Amino acid sequence: MKDCQAMPSLQRKAAGMPPLRELFDTHPARGTIFRASGAGITLDYSKQRVDAEVLQALAQLAEQSGFEAERARLLAGEAVNKTENRAAWHTALRVPADQQTAAQSCVEEQLQRMEALVGKVQAGVWRGFSGKRITDVVNLGVGGSDLGPLMVTHGLREHAEPAGRALNVHFASTIDGSQLFDLLDRLNPETTLFIISSKSFTTIDTLSNADTVRSWLASHCNDETLLLRCHFIGVSAAQDKMTAWGLPAENQLYFWEWVGGRFSLWSTIGLPIALALGASVFRQLLAGAHAMDEHFRTAPLLQNVPVMLALLGVWNVNFLDIRAHAILPYDGRLKYFPSYLEQLEMESNGKSVNQAGEPLDYATCPVLWGEIGANAQHAFYQLLHQGTQAVASDFILAACRYEATAHIAYHEQLLAQHQLNIANCLAQSRVLAFGDAAVAADDTPWRRYPGNQPSSTLLLERLDPRSLGALIAAYEHKVFTQAVIWGINPFDQWGVELGKQVALQLQPLLNNSGAASAAKLDTSTRALALSIQQQQ
Ligand code: F6P
């Protein structure tokens, strides 16, 4: 974060910022003014601890960090990922076909190949080794090759086309094989198709699941060529590795090095989404994201939803010293949205050196976690209301729900539940902001609510493919904007590599083939390994 002109005024404002209660008293109209909207999403940030002067200074901070030039470089597909010398051009994946440049035309080509595969599976043209149609699909992938497709597939299930609804789409990511074990126990090898989703096609978590599946299938059919042709589709940026694994070229879908793993759900990594929901739903998701890209590109900073999310985050972390951020969707369909954002935000911006490799003397990404809001009320909200940590929250809410269920006998009850859910969401942001001043206070110390916990509310008209696409893209651009202000590279993740190497070193020790290397270990790890060996 450059030591720019805006810094002293931001520091001064932070030191004297009155509580939210007072901010509303002195400026009662802030609830209707402190909002931004774009691509169908309204961001109400009036319950953030900001005033007009702070907002101006934050916009100045973004400008002085070179944000506009960096945004142009991102959107033009320039090599913004400096440590890996490549672009991060996920926005190219959602440019409508008739607007794609020559450099982007490969996107439509792969999308059409993906749609052709989806059509074959959904129409029952693609068959298993014994000639039966496919009933189940299992995505084998982890991180960005799992979390985005899982989140979207779950979130939009109500929007699935009939052909997608007929398929059961499952996800297995864990390296221990436990999710797979559970699935294989229930699935029919004759009618199950596996997607091996891995940008690098070297991720051991995914490849060990794929190898286990291969053995499972081989125990039911001894024609390996047939199995590889009928039961696996690979999705990767490493064509050679998919071929080396044995996948025929027709069973391979590609994407490119310039698509980051956690930004890849828009690419052929979205295959499980298209299978489960339908190809046209996937296109609507892309269209929603593109609408947000355009909003991000064109809207003035203080009316720009992703930029505002970013600026408020920087304000909370770097000036108000709030190091925790809760993601609270009031919608059961967004169950996996918090874990998706955990990777997007923390793997991108959990950095402590700047683009030049110099250590930072300021904080970057906060600890981010979340849960379906109404469920979290019965779990960790106690800490939000009465704990000792300052926490910023994002409430996410759809105004309309259950319009399509008018024919269902219990439609009225569902509508009433939706209203109850909205009331809970609004109640929580209100109590977090104003504490027990929101109602008649009880003086008993353990019944007091101090309030002054800041939050934003992201309001969608309804949760549908377009609005979900826009919501995800808004957070992607938030992450990028913050990275520019913090002077870090959000597109690499070197911090995940060392653990992988050390795990490989430890493996021989656990299966008794590396006793010699045990001597070099710290005593804790050595004793744990020994205990495990003794118990096995
Ligand atoms: O280890 C982290 C990571 O590289 C993520 O960035 C990525 O999304 C995930 O692993 C999976 O990688 P791949 O798609 O290459 O298997």
Short mmCIF file of all heavy atoms in Angstrom, two decimals, residues 141-145 197-203 206 255 260-262 264 269 343 347 493 496-497 500, ligand 1:
data_model
loop_
_atom_site.label_atom_id
_atom_site.label_comp_id
_atom_site.label_asym_id
_atom_site.label_seq_id
_atom_site.Cartn_x
_atom_site.Cartn_y
_atom_site.Cartn_z
N GLY A 141 -11.75 -33.64 -8.23
CA GLY A 141 -10.95 -32.42 -8.33
C GLY A 141 -10.85 -31.81 -6.94
O GLY A 141 -11.58 -32.23 -6.02
N VAL A 142 -9.97 -30.86 -6.79
CA VAL A 142 -9.82 -30.23 -5.47
C VAL A 142 -9.55 -28.74 -5.67
O VAL A 142 -9.13 -28.31 -6.76
CB VAL A 142 -8.70 -30.96 -4.67
CG1 VAL A 142 -7.31 -30.65 -5.23
CG2 VAL A 142 -8.77 -30.65 -3.17
N GLY A 143 -9.77 -27.94 -4.63
CA GLY A 143 -9.52 -26.49 -4.74
C GLY A 143 -10.41 -25.90 -5.83
O GLY A 143 -11.60 -26.19 -5.91
N GLY A 144 -9.81 -25.14 -6.72
CA GLY A 144 -10.57 -24.51 -7.79
C GLY A 144 -11.21 -25.50 -8.74
O GLY A 144 -12.14 -25.16 -9.46
N SER A 145 -10.72 -26.72 -8.77
CA SER A 145 -11.30 -27.73 -9.66
C SER A 145 -12.45 -28.48 -8.98
O SER A 145 -12.92 -29.50 -9.49
CB SER A 145 -10.20 -28.71 -10.09
OG SER A 145 -9.19 -28.00 -10.77
N SER A 197 -10.78 -33.51 -12.99
CA SER A 197 -10.65 -32.05 -13.17
C SER A 197 -9.37 -31.59 -12.49
O SER A 197 -9.29 -31.60 -11.26
CB SER A 197 -11.82 -31.33 -12.50
OG SER A 197 -13.01 -31.61 -13.16
N SER A 198 -8.41 -31.19 -13.26
CA SER A 198 -7.16 -30.71 -12.66
C SER A 198 -6.42 -29.85 -13.66
O SER A 198 -5.99 -30.36 -14.71
CB SER A 198 -6.29 -31.89 -12.22
OG SER A 198 -5.06 -31.43 -11.74
N LYS A 199 -6.27 -28.58 -13.34
CA LYS A 199 -5.55 -27.70 -14.26
C LYS A 199 -4.16 -28.26 -14.56
O LYS A 199 -3.75 -28.37 -15.70
CB LYS A 199 -5.45 -26.29 -13.67
CG LYS A 199 -4.68 -25.34 -14.55
CD LYS A 199 -4.54 -23.96 -13.97
CE LYS A 199 -3.62 -23.13 -14.88
NZ LYS A 199 -3.35 -21.81 -14.35
N SER A 200 -3.46 -28.63 -13.53
CA SER A 200 -2.07 -29.08 -13.69
C SER A 200 -1.98 -30.56 -14.08
O SER A 200 -1.01 -31.00 -14.66
CB SER A 200 -1.32 -28.89 -12.37
OG SER A 200 -1.96 -29.65 -11.36
N PHE A 201 -2.99 -31.31 -13.74
CA PHE A 201 -3.02 -32.77 -13.86
C PHE A 201 -1.83 -33.41 -13.13
O PHE A 201 -1.31 -34.46 -13.51
CB PHE A 201 -3.06 -33.23 -15.33
CG PHE A 201 -4.03 -34.35 -15.54
CD1 PHE A 201 -5.40 -34.11 -15.63
CD2 PHE A 201 -3.60 -35.67 -15.63
CE1 PHE A 201 -6.31 -35.15 -15.80
CE2 PHE A 201 -4.50 -36.72 -15.80
CZ PHE A 201 -5.86 -36.45 -15.89
N THR A 202 -1.39 -32.74 -12.06
CA THR A 202 -0.34 -33.33 -11.22
C THR A 202 -0.79 -33.38 -9.75
O THR A 202 -0.05 -33.87 -8.90
CB THR A 202 0.96 -32.48 -11.25
OG1 THR A 202 0.62 -31.15 -10.83
CG2 THR A 202 1.59 -32.44 -12.62
N THR A 203 -1.97 -32.85 -9.47
CA THR A 203 -2.39 -32.75 -8.06
C THR A 203 -2.65 -34.15 -7.50
O THR A 203 -3.54 -34.88 -7.97
CB THR A 203 -3.65 -31.86 -7.95
OG1 THR A 203 -3.32 -30.61 -8.53
CG2 THR A 203 -4.07 -31.67 -6.51
N THR A 206 -6.21 -35.42 -6.42
CA THR A 206 -7.12 -35.78 -7.52
C THR A 206 -6.65 -37.04 -8.23
O THR A 206 -7.44 -37.95 -8.52
CB THR A 206 -7.19 -34.60 -8.51
OG1 THR A 206 -7.67 -33.47 -7.78
CG2 THR A 206 -8.12 -34.90 -9.67
N PHE A 255 -8.38 -26.15 -21.05
CA PHE A 255 -8.38 -24.71 -20.84
C PHE A 255 -6.92 -24.28 -20.78
O PHE A 255 -6.05 -25.05 -21.19
CB PHE A 255 -9.24 -24.29 -19.64
CG PHE A 255 -8.84 -24.82 -18.28
CD1 PHE A 255 -8.29 -23.96 -17.33
CD2 PHE A 255 -9.02 -26.14 -17.94
CE1 PHE A 255 -7.95 -24.41 -16.07
CE2 PHE A 255 -8.67 -26.62 -16.67
CZ PHE A 255 -8.12 -25.75 -15.75
N GLY A 260 -6.54 -18.96 -13.88
CA GLY A 260 -6.11 -19.42 -12.55
C GLY A 260 -7.07 -20.47 -12.01
O GLY A 260 -8.28 -20.41 -12.28
N GLY A 261 -6.57 -21.42 -11.22
CA GLY A 261 -7.42 -22.50 -10.71
C GLY A 261 -8.67 -21.99 -10.00
O GLY A 261 -9.78 -22.46 -10.25
N ARG A 262 -8.52 -21.00 -9.13
CA ARG A 262 -9.68 -20.53 -8.35
C ARG A 262 -10.56 -19.59 -9.16
O ARG A 262 -11.56 -19.09 -8.66
CB ARG A 262 -9.22 -19.91 -7.03
CG ARG A 262 -8.19 -18.83 -7.16
CD ARG A 262 -7.54 -18.51 -5.80
NE ARG A 262 -6.39 -17.63 -5.96
CZ ARG A 262 -5.16 -18.05 -6.22
NH1 ARG A 262 -4.91 -19.34 -6.36
NH2 ARG A 262 -4.16 -17.19 -6.33
N SER A 264 -11.47 -20.66 -12.33
CA SER A 264 -11.63 -21.51 -13.51
C SER A 264 -13.03 -22.08 -13.72
O SER A 264 -13.25 -22.80 -14.68
CB SER A 264 -10.62 -22.66 -13.45
OG SER A 264 -10.91 -23.53 -12.37
N ILE A 269 -13.74 -26.41 -16.76
CA ILE A 269 -13.85 -26.91 -15.38
C ILE A 269 -15.31 -26.86 -14.93
O ILE A 269 -15.74 -27.57 -14.03
CB ILE A 269 -12.92 -26.09 -14.43
CG1 ILE A 269 -11.46 -26.48 -14.64
CG2 ILE A 269 -13.29 -26.25 -12.95
CD1 ILE A 269 -11.02 -27.84 -14.11
N GLN A 343 -11.28 -19.93 -0.47
CA GLN A 343 -10.15 -20.14 -1.39
C GLN A 343 -9.90 -18.88 -2.22
O GLN A 343 -8.76 -18.41 -2.33
CB GLN A 343 -10.37 -21.32 -2.34
CG GLN A 343 -9.12 -21.55 -3.19
CD GLN A 343 -9.32 -22.39 -4.45
OE1 GLN A 343 -10.42 -22.55 -4.94
NE2 GLN A 343 -8.23 -22.92 -4.97
N GLU A 347 -6.51 -17.67 -0.67
CA GLU A 347 -5.40 -18.18 -1.51
C GLU A 347 -4.86 -17.06 -2.41
O GLU A 347 -3.69 -17.04 -2.76
CB GLU A 347 -5.84 -19.38 -2.35
CG GLU A 347 -4.67 -20.15 -2.93
CD GLU A 347 -5.06 -21.46 -3.62
OE1 GLU A 347 -5.61 -21.40 -4.73
OE2 GLU A 347 -4.79 -22.54 -3.07
N GLN A 493 0.17 -18.79 -5.79
CA GLN A 493 -0.13 -19.41 -4.49
C GLN A 493 1.05 -20.26 -4.05
O GLN A 493 0.92 -21.44 -3.79
CB GLN A 493 -1.44 -20.23 -4.51
CG GLN A 493 -1.53 -21.38 -5.51
CD GLN A 493 -1.75 -20.92 -6.91
OE1 GLN A 493 -2.49 -19.98 -7.16
NE2 GLN A 493 -1.08 -21.55 -7.89
N VAL A 496 1.30 -22.79 -0.93
CA VAL A 496 0.74 -24.13 -0.78
C VAL A 496 1.74 -25.22 -1.17
O VAL A 496 1.46 -26.41 -1.02
CB VAL A 496 -0.56 -24.32 -1.61
CG1 VAL A 496 -1.61 -23.29 -1.21
CG2 VAL A 496 -0.28 -24.23 -3.10
N GLU A 497 2.91 -24.81 -1.67
CA GLU A 497 3.82 -25.80 -2.27
C GLU A 497 4.64 -26.59 -1.25
O GLU A 497 4.82 -27.80 -1.38
CB GLU A 497 4.77 -25.11 -3.26
CG GLU A 497 4.06 -24.57 -4.48
CD GLU A 497 3.23 -25.61 -5.21
OE1 GLU A 497 3.67 -26.78 -5.30
OE2 GLU A 497 2.12 -25.27 -5.67
N LYS A 500 3.18 -29.66 0.33
CA LYS A 500 3.07 -30.80 -0.59
C LYS A 500 4.40 -31.56 -0.62
O LYS A 500 4.45 -32.79 -0.58
CB LYS A 500 2.73 -30.33 -2.01
CG LYS A 500 1.37 -29.68 -2.15
CD LYS A 500 1.14 -29.26 -3.61
CE LYS A 500 -0.06 -28.34 -3.76
NZ LYS A 500 -0.24 -27.79 -5.10
O1 F6P B 1 -2.68 -26.50 -4.11
C1 F6P B 1 -3.44 -25.40 -4.46
C2 F6P B 1 -3.99 -25.55 -5.84
O2 F6P B 1 -2.99 -25.41 -6.77
C3 F6P B 1 -5.11 -24.54 -6.12
O3 F6P B 1 -4.63 -23.31 -6.48
C4 F6P B 1 -5.87 -25.25 -7.18
O4 F6P B 1 -7.16 -24.73 -7.35
C5 F6P B 1 -5.87 -26.66 -6.63
O5 F6P B 1 -4.60 -26.82 -6.03
C6 F6P B 1 -6.09 -27.75 -7.65
O6 F6P B 1 -5.13 -27.69 -8.67
P1 F6P B 1 -5.32 -28.49 -10.01
O7 F6P B 1 -6.54 -27.98 -10.67
O8 F6P B 1 -4.09 -28.23 -10.80
O9 F6P B 1 -5.48 -29.94 -9.66
#
